[in-house]
Amino acid sequence: MSVRRLLVLPHLKIHNANALSSPFTIGFPAMTAWLGFVHALQRKLNAAGYPSLDLVATGVISHQCNLQTFQGPGDFVHSIIGTGNPLDKEGNRSAFIEEARCHLDVSLLIEYQADEETQQLMRQPDFIEVISHQLMRMKVAGGDLQAFELPLLQVLDDSDEVAQGKVMRSLMPGFALIERRELMQQAMEQGADALDALLEYLTIHHHCTEDNDGNVIWKSQRKVDGDGDKPGWIVPIATGFQGISELGEAKNQRDPNIPHRFAESIVTLGEFRMAHRIKQLDEVLWRYHTDLNKNLYLCQQAQTESKETANDGFY
Amino acid sequence: MSDPAIEQFFHERKEAWLKKNLKATMSEMEVRAKQLECDQFFELKNWLPDAAQRIESRALASHPSKFSHPSTGVGKKNKANGTYVTPILFLGHRSPDGFLRTGNVTCAEVDSVGNAAELDVEDFLRLKLSDGITLLDHIEQKTASAQALLRLDGYDFEQLRTSFLVVKSPPKNIVTNSKIKQVYFLVGEGEYHQLSILTHSAYLFEQRRRIDAIRFSEQAKEAREKRRNNQLGENYQEIYHLTTIGYGGTKPANISVLNNQNAGKAHLLLSMPPELSPRNVQLPTRNFFGEALYPKQLQVTFQAFHRLLSTGHNNVNIRKGRDYRIQEYLDQLILKMWQVRKAFVEQEYSRPEGLPAYQKIWLFPEHEQERADNQAWLAELIQDATRYFNVSYKRVLGSTAFVLGDTEHFAFAEVIEQNKEALL
């Protein structure tokens, strides 16, 4: 039994967030953007008189995600609606790499830890004011925070599924982002390379069979796993970085006192699951994790055991 | 004698050079003079040392910085105006860790960046000799062919070799730029690393190649045609919701070699949650069941449900599977419920009067308080949801449908009980 302390930031309305979460994907901002925002908030709160406050894990629940792309009549693919700001000195559009944007309505579920003294301070009514004040000056995933509902503090017990369910239902309607890296791992263990493993889950598979009477039957479905389970609403998500050069010093780095290296985005599979289906908070909470031996900088979830059985009856 | 690939290379260059420099008005003498000049220019002992110098402004790179910002690069101009970024050549290692990252994709291409005027030297180094190994690898491994090629009078073999290998040599000074996103990443209590984020361009275009194969390959076309006519055909895949991104505008060559080969276009995969307020929600006027929620949406669910019943067994796996399908039905119901509620919020003035009273309480935003205070309506909703499950199942399966017994009804009641609060 352990106690969980939660800070809920409900319905952050974000304008023009970065939708190019990796070079391979477009849409919902990268997990690194959300954890980065929460960490920035922690630093601001630490400085604002809550020194021992530690925001340890974050869940992201999407209520609305409005991607700024365009599909012309008859087009199969979408194109990005670019803005080309700022204009150059002659007033022409400057050369730019296309930047994809999206407008979001997102709730964040943040697990925190703090010592007794800081907790005492947080229980004071002005804490909510302080945090709102900080939020108003922050960027989220590169976008502007235009509005939000009042933050809430909650304490609940880990063994109390009813209370956890209640927290999640309060965020309905919404979809929680869950890591499904194990789907890709399984495919890769069977020999697929990463790109094939990814595409397997993002395509519609058309299967053709012939029954005993010679009738041809075409079936179309998303990829199912080995047990015939349908894995849910699966999307590619950017969850971290891989270092691609030695750690060291570089000319022109932002901060000369911090080790620098070049890195690339890492993409894996995730799932958007409706909030009312979440039974344990651990299913939605993400944390920082670095594996410097493998040069990996990750946001990841504790792999929970709550895998659902979805028997398709194919046996 | 040098390799046919090299012969061919010089033959093409010479022809191109002559085409450029010969004019129809030239006299025979002049033409001959030009031809001599050409032969001399492309003679190994002249061309190679020059090429070895020129290759300096190109670099093989797996992660060209120009994909992060087109103003950065490795050229002389970049060095002069402070936008030079170290070219990174990183190969990674393979591991089944579930990540799309360098090392985990089978892709032999390596991109390159730099001054386009020296591309010919790079083409030269990328020549595949008759043994299938590139000239660059030959030079690196000091093979006999490389030695034969690079041992020129008056030049030091080692020096020439080193000059050529500059194209892939690990950089001594690491330089990044403010034009590239530099991200702080937390690695421990108050400790950070700074990451300059680059793009693996070969993977980007490998992704495009594989997506295009799914979309346009002959096999896929054939299978698609077979499916349209309901004939026996091969399995195939289809991919939707792609977005195209362009690098380099009208000058894709300014970004990188691979970018140029792909006309600057790459495909992005969509990563979006399900839509909660689609533009065309069917708003119920008489009954939520049948209008907002209808059997067609649940075809797969009911077919699987049916298969489970027809196994005739009753073990824990079958029961779990059955409950999962019931849950799937409820999930769809809950999703539709929210879509309808949201649509009613946006549409303030018109309310369908024909809806049953309990559905009005359930779906209209103005009854939100009432919904929580008095839950008599919920019992009615649960009854109708159960009934509609039955109806939809029969509609999907037609005459093959089983008559649902007490076991199934009991199971349904249990699953819906767990979801009661989500219906509020």
Side-chain angles (χ1 to χ4, degrees):
Chain A
M1 285 222 301
S2 66
V3 174
R4 290 225 190 214
R5 297 173 200 286
L6 294 176
L7 167 65
V8 187
L9 304 181
H11 291 278
L12 306 174
K13 300 246 170 33
I14 305 157
H15 189 73
N16 278 347
N18 177 17
L20 268 190
S21 33
S22 78
F24 308 101
T25 58
I26 187 170
F28 204 70
M31 212 50 226
T32 46
W34 300 111
L35 289 199
F37 163 74
V38 170
H39 185 67
L41 180 66
Q42 176 191 320
R43 288 176 59 104
K44 281 171 191 279
L45 290 172
N46 288 160
Y50 305 90
S52 79
L53 178 59
D54 193 3
L55 306 180
V56 290
T58 306
V60 184
I61 291 95
S62 163
H63 305 291
Q64 179 79 271
C65 180
N66 192 350
L67 182 62
Q68 302 298 295
T69 57
F70 172 74
Q71 191 176 27
D75 286 1
F76 182 80
V77 295
H78 296 247
S79 29
I80 296 166
I81 304 174
T83 58
N85 296 320
L87 300 180
D88 68 10
K89 54 181 183 253
E90 278 104 35
N92 297 320
R93 284 197 169 196
S94 49
F96 66 104
I97 284 216
E98 291 181 279
E99 285 181 4
R101 302 160 296 119
C102 60
H103 307 324
L104 297 161
D105 178 355
V106 163
S107 293
L108 294 182
L109 201 62
I110 302 167
E111 183 183 349
Y112 69 89
Q113 286 161 5
D115 63 17
E116 202 44 57
E117 199 180 335
T118 305
Q119 280 180 41
Q120 196 78 38
L121 281 170
M122 288 170 73
R123 281 194 281 272
Q124 304 299 317
D126 64 338
F127 175 69
I128 298 301
E129 227 166 277
V130 171
I131 193 169
S132 302
H133 186 69
Q134 296 295 345
L135 283 176
M136 270 181 251
R137 300 188 295 178
M138 290 179 75
K139 285 263 197 176
V140 192
D144 301 315
L145 188 50
Q146 292 188 317
F148 52 87
E149 289 177 10
L150 275 190
L152 308 165
L153 289 175
Q154 280 192 324
V155 179
L156 47 84
D157 199 280
D158 236 3
S159 60
D160 188 354
E161 279 207 14
V162 178
Q164 296 184 59
K166 208 168 158 203
V167 170
M168 291 312 298
R169 273 199 308 280
S170 74
L171 301 171
M172 281 291 282
F175 297 92
L177 186 53
I178 293 170
E179 186 177 23
R180 295 303 300 273
R181 179 180 155 198
E182 84 281 359
L183 293 176
M184 236 169 111
Q185 266 169 321
Q186 284 158 12
M188 288 172 77
E189 271 156 18
Q190 285 159 21
D193 80 356
L195 209 42
D196 280 342
L198 192 70
L199 290 173
E200 271 290 292
Y201 279 96
L202 304 177
T203 49
I204 308 283
H205 296 249
H206 299 286
H207 294 285
C208 185
T209 47
E210 194 174 17
D211 67 11
N212 295 336
D213 307 331
N215 297 320
V216 175
I217 301 162
W218 279 93
K219 265 184 53 174
S220 304
Q221 61 179 7
R222 288 265 185 162
K223 164 106 177 154
V224 291
D225 72 11
D227 309 328
D229 295 2
K230 279 211 306 187
W233 188 279
I234 299 296
V235 293
I237 48 170
T239 61
F241 304 105
Q242 173 175 230
I244 55 171
S245 69
E246 290 303 317
L247 199 60
E249 220 174 287
K251 205 181 149 198
N252 299 331
Q253 69 184 57
R254 227 165 116 182
D255 182 341
N257 301 319
I258 290 177
H260 169 276
R261 75 196 315 183
F262 287 99
E264 62 171 3
S265 292
I266 284 179
V267 173
T268 187
L269 288 170
E271 177 189 349
F272 278 109
R273 192 180 296 171
M274 253 204 161
H276 77 273
R277 299 295 307 282
I278 308 294
K279 302 279 180 270
Q280 292 278 338
L281 290 176
D282 269 334
E283 289 175 55
V284 301
L285 291 176
W286 293 74
R287 291 157 214 273
Y288 277 124
H289 173 80
T290 40
D291 185 345
L292 291 180
N293 292 327
K294 292 180 178 160
N295 304 328
L296 295 179
Y297 299 82
L298 302 172
C299 304
Q300 68 177 28
Q301 292 194 295
Q303 296 274 346
T304 46
E305 300 290 311
S306 70
K307 195 174 164 296
E308 301 215 30
T309 326
N311 198 320
D312 223 352
F314 280 116
Y315 52 77
Chain B
M1 193 55 226
S2 62
D3 197 273
I6 297 176
E7 295 280 317
Q8 175 72 13
F9 174 84
F10 281 110
H11 179 69
E12 281 168 15
R13 299 293 128 168
K14 278 182 188 173
E15 279 198 342
W17 192 94
L18 285 173
K19 207 172 164 190
K20 205 170 111 196
N21 288 289
L22 288 184
K23 295 192 185 74
T25 54
M26 283 179 169
S27 71
E28 207 173 308
M29 280 287 279
E30 283 172 320
V31 170
R32 201 162 315 139
K34 280 284 174 199
Q35 273 168 348
L36 262 174
E37 192 187 332
C38 174
D39 285 342
Q40 203 159 20
F41 183 79
F42 285 106
E43 215 174 305
L44 283 182
K45 71 173 194 299
N46 295 328
W47 192 83
L48 278 178
D50 177 51
Q53 291 305 311
R54 288 195 291 135
I55 194 66
E56 188 198 358
S57 49
R58 289 206 67 83
L60 296 183
S62 56
H63 294 73
S65 66
K66 278 175 182 286
F67 286 87
S68 300
H69 198 292
S71 301
T72 61
V74 300
K76 285 199 178 104
K77 211 168 147 195
N78 295 114
K79 279 178 188 150
N81 64 17
T83 50
Y84 174 84
V85 172
T86 313
I88 301 292
L89 187 60
F90 177 77
L91 301 172
H93 60 279
R94 192 158 182 157
S95 138
D97 55 9
F99 289 128
L100 172 56
R101 57 164 182 78
T102 298
N104 273 348
V105 175
T106 316
C107 164
E109 300 262 24
V110 179
D111 209 347
S112 71
V113 287
N115 190 344
E118 332 304 355
L119 250 179
D120 58 328
V121 188
E122 194 188 309
D123 289 343
F124 178 67
L125 291 177
R126 283 179 187 243
L127 284 178
K128 268 207 177 110
L129 303 195
S130 42
D131 53 5
I133 297 167
T134 63
L135 182 54
L136 185 62
D137 288 341
H138 271 283
I139 293 178
E140 192 173 16
Q141 288 150 26
K142 300 189 196 178
T143 60
S145 326
Q147 304 232 16
L149 191 71
L150 293 191
R151 290 225 183 271
L152 301 170
D153 286 341
Y155 292 97
D156 179 31
F157 169 77
E158 274 305 326
Q159 210 176 343
L160 272 181
R161 177 177 171 269
T162 325
S163 308
F164 275 119
L165 288 182
V166 163
V167 76
K168 65 176 293 189
S169 65
K172 282 166 226 90
N173 302 323
I174 303 289
V175 185
T176 179
N177 199 272
S178 59
K179 288 186 161 64
I180 292 174
K181 273 194 193 109
Q182 296 183 24
V183 180
Y184 284 89
F185 203 98
L186 186 70
V187 292
E189 186 77 42
E191 261 182 79
Y192 301 89
H193 285 177
Q194 263 179 118
L195 309 174
S196 290
I197 310 298
L198 300 177
T199 296
H200 194 154
S201 55
Y203 280 15
L204 190 65
F205 294 115
E206 178 68 15
Q207 171 169 297
R208 173 179 160 161
R209 199 185 61 74
R210 292 197 196 174
I211 289 174
D212 283 349
I214 291 173
R215 290 168 66 195
F216 303 125
S217 71
E218 287 304 317
Q219 264 170 310
K221 272 185 201 162
E222 203 175 301
R224 221 171 274 146
E225 191 59 34
K226 288 263 168 64
R227 176 162 164 263
R228 199 169 297 139
N229 303 322
N230 205 30
Q231 293 168 332
L232 199 61
E234 280 192 34
N235 298 342
Y236 72 102
Q237 287 162 277
E238 200 88 70
I239 189 156
Y240 299 100
H241 310 302
L242 297 170
T243 303
T244 296
I245 188 166
Y247 288 100
T250 53
K251 303 266 188 306
N254 285 353
I255 302 296
S256 81
V257 168
L258 280 182
N259 193 58
N260 194 29
Q261 286 167 8
N262 287 279
K265 296 274 186 285
H267 299 319
L268 302 173
L269 300 166
L270 188 71
S271 169
M272 288 282 279
E275 184 58 77
L276 275 171
S277 40
R279 257 173 256 173
N280 46 357
V281 192
Q282 173 83 37
L283 282 183
T285 53
R286 311 172 124 254
N287 194 346
F288 175 89
F289 295 100
E291 291 180 85
L293 187 75
Y294 43 90
K296 187 112 197 3
Q297 298 158 340
L298 292 154
Q299 209 167 351
V300 179
T301 307
F302 285 114
Q303 279 165 351
F305 181 78
H306 181 74
R307 273 194 300 274
L308 287 165
L309 293 191
S310 38
T311 53
H313 304 296
N314 182 9
N315 60 33
V316 65
N317 280 330
I318 300 278
R319 284 197 296 277
K320 264 191 186 164
R322 180 195 63 200
D323 290 356
Y324 178 84
R325 294 302 160 180
I326 297 173
Q327 181 68 51
E328 224 174 40
Y329 165 81
L330 286 171
D331 285 347
Q332 182 70 13
L333 191 157
I334 290 165
L335 177 67
K336 283 286 155 199
M337 164 188 100
W338 284 107
Q339 288 180 348
V340 169
R341 277 186 189 170
K342 278 192 112 173
F344 276 134
V345 171
E346 277 154 32
Q347 173 185 313
E348 267 176 75
Y349 301 107
S350 79
R351 291 283 178 263
E353 284 308 313
L355 280 184
Y358 84 87
Q359 289 192 9
K360 288 182 186 166
I361 300 175
W362 180 41
L363 297 171
F364 292 174
E366 50 273 26
H367 294 310
E368 204 178 327
Q369 194 52 49
E370 206 179 327
R371 223 178 280 156
D373 294 345
N374 169 10
Q375 297 190 356
W377 60 273
L378 188 59
E380 272 186 80
L381 170 66
I382 289 176
Q383 248 180 23
D384 262 11
T386 318
R387 197 176 305 141
Y388 195 68
F389 182 84
N390 224 329
V391 171
S392 314
Y393 167 62
K394 281 188 187 138
R395 187 82 49 83
V396 171
L397 271 303
S399 56
T400 52
F402 295 105
V403 176
L404 299 187
D406 283 349
T407 346
E408 285 78 35
H409 282 132
F410 186 69
F412 192 89
E414 211 169 342
V415 178
I416 203 166
E417 183 63 32
Q418 290 161 13
N419 284 271
K420 230 160 121 180
E421 269 114 352
L423 291 167
L424 290 182

